[in-house]
Amino acid sequence: MSSDDELAERLRAGDETALRVAYERHGSAVLYLAQRLLGNRADAEDVTQVTFVAAWSGRDGFDPQRGTMLGWLLGIARRKAVDRLRAAARDQRTTETVQAQTTVPTVEESPERIVDRLVIADELGRLPDEQRRTLELAFFDDLTHPQIATVTGLPLGTVKSHIRRGMANLRRRWEVDGATFGSRSAGPSRAL
């Protein structure tokens, strides 16, 4: 094996095998440092890989007069780990900000409204898959008929038919349940 000085010269000359030798020689130390800084093996492995990619890209910047190859690699690893920690903190702050802004005040729903939602969800579950999908896209995702046709790959006429039949099925169920349970206005009741 060559010394780190010889290895550094080969690396700076663009010898890819020198990078492999550097990884074999110093990769475990870089991984150890990254894992100590990050506390997570998967992130540490990512930082180790990024460190050696950065070492390859910045190989002209290594000066054996200023320090050892191991010291240089550990310096790169430390910076990459700190970058990872900062990015994670930024992501966490962004997530918290978004969650704080999207808090919707809770509104108590009446028992009738809850029953209505359950009936609709149950009936949607009973529809054929394509009918259910088109209704969900139309009402929950607020897509137009042409947009639904594009998303599903169905012809526009088929989309319209699925929505019409699905709505008819929901209406029939609504009327039957309304007449049975009296939770919705279904017309005059027939008392015996």
Side-chain angles (χ1 to χ4, degrees):
M1 276 200 181
S2 62
S3 72
D4 271 356
D5 290 341
E6 292 171 10
L7 186 60
E9 287 304 315
R10 289 177 41 214
L11 184 67
R12 286 177 27 187
D15 182 357
E16 293 178 15
T17 59
L19 181 65
R20 185 178 321 119
V21 172
Y23 178 80
E24 290 168 357
R25 194 176 289 177
H26 302 299
S28 60
V30 170
L31 178 64
Y32 177 79
L33 174 68
Q35 193 164 353
R36 292 289 304 221
L37 292 172
L38 298 170
N40 178 318
R41 174 82 182 194
D43 287 344
E45 289 172 353
D46 288 346
V47 164
T48 300
Q49 180 179 6
V50 169
T51 296
F52 281 92
V53 169
W56 177 255
S57 299
R59 61 188 179 273
D60 293 334
F62 175 64
D63 181 3
Q65 302 300 323
R66 296 181 63 201
T68 65
M69 180 174 283
L70 177 59
W72 178 62
L73 290 169
L74 291 177
I76 295 171
R78 183 183 165 287
R79 287 188 300 277
K80 297 301 181 184
V82 168
D83 289 348
R84 175 70 59 110
L85 290 170
R86 286 180 180 153
R90 248 188 334 270
D91 290 346
Q92 181 64 31
R93 284 191 307 270
T94 301
T95 300
E96 289 169 359
T97 300
V98 168
Q99 287 174 341
Q101 291 176 353
T102 59
T103 307
V104 177
T106 57
V107 175
E108 296 256 346
E109 289 191 74
S110 67
E112 291 83 15
R113 185 153 170 87
I114 293 171
V115 169
D116 290 347
R117 288 180 54 209
L118 291 173
V119 168
I120 291 170
D122 180 53
E123 186 57 31
L124 277 172
R126 294 179 187 203
L127 292 175
D129 290 340
E130 287 185 344
Q131 278 184 20
R132 181 181 67 249
R133 178 81 173 126
T134 56
L135 284 172
E136 289 171 346
L137 290 170
F139 294 101
F140 298 134
D141 294 344
D142 200 26
L143 298 181
T144 64
H145 293 168
Q147 289 170 329
I148 294 169
T150 301
V151 168
T152 61
L154 296 172
L156 182 58
T158 303
V159 167
K160 290 178 180 181
S161 295
H162 283 329
I163 290 174
R164 186 175 51 255
R165 281 191 220 109
M167 290 298 293
N169 286 337
L170 289 175
R171 189 177 303 113
R172 270 194 302 279
R173 175 72 184 265
W174 189 272
E175 290 169 353
V176 168
D177 283 350
T180 304
F181 298 114
S183 65
R184 292 161 221 64
S185 173
S189 63
R190 295 181 188 160
L192 294 176

